[in-house]
Amino acid sequence: MVGLALAAALGACGSEDPDAGTNGVGKLPPAKIEAKAQAAAQRADTVHLSGNVVSQGRTFRLDMSLAKNGAKGELTTKAAAFQLLRVGDDLYLKADAAFWAGEKRGGSGGNGPSAAQKLDGKYVKVPAADPVYKRFSGFTDKDTLLASLLGLHGKLTVGDRGDVDGTRTVRLTAGAGSGGTLDVSLEGTPYPLRMKRAGGAGVVTLAEWGRGVDLKAPAKDQVVDYGSRISGTG
């Protein structure tokens, strides 16, 4: 009797489904898992993205809440930290005087430092035609930013089951040195939850999918409209 019970228990353990109670994406081929994760990300109205990204030899620290109609958060580089806010097409940047002095350096009129002091700690409404707008608006565009960060290149394989902040995941791995790894949620909607880019190019975590993001323009007394141009370069 004891032997039969033990055999039955061992048989039950051996047949246990590791994906039991999940959304089932772990059983799919890797290309379909990636497609479902990308589709889920595209459908979501909002996401909170945080982590480090290396681009063109520069490291950026991102802490952004992204929505369909804008974003808000902080971007940090080795040289500076500043806040970004986009509401519709209007982009605002809040930084210290040192940042703005660097942007104005080389501009006409020789009044870069004094102008920078006026911008210190204020939200600056960035003209759409200015190089500053072109340089930073991509960090506030949900679809553009996710498309640039989440792409896996090379042959995909399904790796181990994992965990991101308490949520079970399945890990996709691309060809060595070409794509990195992507953790996809096994609970509920198969959102991408963490991307480790290949070659040490950064790790980003994605959370709070679908949660509201309160986007509103700063108070008028906190905004400096610098006119048609900020940057003295480009």
Side-chain angles (χ1 to χ4, degrees):
M1 292 291 291
V2 173
L4 289 175
L6 180 59
L10 291 174
C13 291
S15 62
E16 185 178 347
D17 184 356
D19 290 310
T22 72
N23 55 23
V25 297
K27 298 180 179 180
L28 299 176
K32 287 191 175 182
I33 298 175
E34 181 186 35
K36 282 187 173 291
Q38 290 177 343
Q42 188 173 22
R43 286 194 303 267
D45 289 333
T46 63
V47 64
H48 180 253
L49 186 151
S50 61
N52 295 314
V53 176
V54 180
S55 178
Q56 298 180 346
R58 301 178 66 190
T59 299
F60 297 88
R61 171 71 186 176
L62 300 171
D63 188 359
M64 298 294 301
S65 294
L66 303 158
K68 294 284 189 182
N69 63 329
K72 65 179 182 180
E74 187 170 75
L75 181 64
T76 305
T77 68
K78 184 177 180 180
F82 46 90
Q83 295 178 36
L84 289 172
L85 170 65
R86 183 173 63 82
V87 182
D89 292 329
D90 294 333
L91 178 67
Y92 302 88
L93 199 157
K94 184 177 181 180
D96 61 17
F99 173 86
W100 290 116
E103 290 299 321
K104 293 300 295 179
R105 193 172 296 124
S108 61
N111 63 346
S114 61
Q117 288 296 330
K118 295 178 182 179
L119 305 182
D120 183 31
K122 295 284 189 178
Y123 281 100
V124 175
K125 188 174 182 180
V126 183
D130 195 274
V132 173
Y133 191 105
K134 297 175 183 178
R135 194 188 319 161
F136 296 123
S137 60
F139 290 105
T140 69
D141 187 306
K142 171 181 169 288
D143 291 338
T144 299
L145 188 57
L146 293 185
S148 67
L149 293 177
L150 296 181
L152 290 170
H153 306 287
K155 184 178 180 181
L156 295 177
T157 58
V158 178
D160 296 332
R161 303 299 186 267
D163 178 285
V164 175
D165 295 331
T167 299
R168 289 178 294 172
T169 66
V170 58
R171 181 166 298 168
L172 291 179
T173 302
S178 60
T181 60
L182 178 66
D183 278 272
V184 178
S185 177
L186 285 172
E187 300 178 20
T189 304
Y191 290 123
L193 297 184
R194 182 170 57 204
M195 175 72 182
K196 183 177 182 180
R197 304 177 78 203
V203 180
V204 294
T205 300
L206 305 104
E208 300 177 13
W209 289 98
R211 292 190 187 179
V213 177
D214 183 19
L215 294 175
K216 58 184 178 182
K220 289 184 179 181
D221 63 354
Q222 293 298 309
V223 176
V224 176
D225 191 334
Y226 206 75
S228 61
R229 194 170 185 80
I230 294 173
S231 178
T233 61

